[in-house]
Amino acid sequence: METGSPHDTGTADAPGTPTPATADVAATDADAEPGAGTKPDAGTEPVWHALPPGLLTMRRLLLVVWLGLLTLATALVPGLLAGPAWGAFAVLPLALLLWGWVMLERNWRSWRYAERADDLLISRGVLWHEETVVPYGRMQLVEVTSGPVERHFGLASVQLHTAAAATDATIPGLDPDEAERLRDRLTELGEARSAGL
């Protein structure tokens, strides 16, 4: 005579032996994990990479140089020519400098990119958020650029040119080694995807 209901499965079997009910649940969980029947990378959350802090330092230094000179000129020139009271106009570029200092950090924090199985995601923007999806198979040219100021701060930018100009994109302020790694990887993936079309 059997005791227990058909749902009592854990006590009668040997330890470590999966019962039919638990095996079905495990198989269902395994199937549902990575996107239920799609590629493993398709259902997972992308791994986002932030830009290095050197980009923020460079932009803030440029802001201080340009608006600092403008503040000084606005204070001295009217103050010397028209009187000390006119030197108060220097408050305007100084206020702009303080506002820009904060906004540059917010903008820098908004930039990020993620490499997925079939495309590259680039996200940016504080007030107007923009996310660009660049399919690897559409990439025609990936280049690394670095101007004199960027080189001084040890930074480089990756520029992506695609078949459609609307999906062209740039990732600024990367470490040169990371920029070259990203260029080589994107070029290799682009060639592999375009060869498979």
Side-chain angles (χ1 to χ4, degrees), residues 50-55 58-59 108 150 154-158 171-175:
L51 298 184
L55 178 66
M58 180 190 75
R59 288 179 172 176
W108 168 73
E150 285 181 310
L155 301 172
S157 297
V158 174
I171 305 175
L174 294 174
D175 180 75

Side-chain angles (χ1 to χ4, degrees), residues 131-150:
E131 192 167 286
T132 305
V133 179
V134 185
Y136 296 137
R138 309 268 304 173
M139 290 184 191
Q140 293 182 331
L141 175 66
V142 182
E143 59 183 350
V144 175
T145 61
S146 184
V149 178
E150 285 181 310

Side-chain angles (χ1 to χ4, degrees), residues 1 6 11-12 14 21 37 45 58 74 84 97 99 104 107 133 140 151 162 166 172 174 177 181 188 196:
M1 177 175 170
T11 56
E45 187 70 21
M58 180 190 75
T74 307
L97 190 149
W99 177 79
L104 282 176
N107 179 268
V133 179
Q140 293 182 331
R151 281 198 307 272
T162 63
L174 294 174
D177 292 336
R181 182 204 68 82
E188 180 183 345

Side-chain angles (χ1 to χ4, degrees), residues 33-124:
E33 281 288 321
T38 60
K39 294 180 182 177
D41 292 338
T44 59
E45 187 70 21
V47 178
W48 291 100
H49 302 279
L51 298 184
L55 178 66
L56 177 62
T57 304
M58 180 190 75
R59 288 179 172 176
R60 280 182 166 173
L61 181 63
L62 292 173
L63 178 76
V64 168
V65 167
W66 290 110
L67 286 181
L69 289 174
L70 183 61
T71 301
L72 189 62
T74 307
L76 289 179
V77 173
L80 293 174
L81 296 178
W86 290 93
F89 280 109
V91 172
L92 295 175
L94 184 61
L96 189 60
L97 190 149
L98 296 175
W99 177 79
W101 185 273
V102 174
M103 290 306 295
L104 282 176
E105 182 173 359
R106 291 184 64 192
N107 179 268
W108 168 73
R109 287 186 185 280
S110 74
W111 274 87
R112 57 189 189 154
Y113 64 96
E115 301 169 58
R116 298 197 302 183
D118 297 315
D119 50 38
L120 178 73
L121 295 179
I122 302 172
S123 177
R124 62 194 174 278

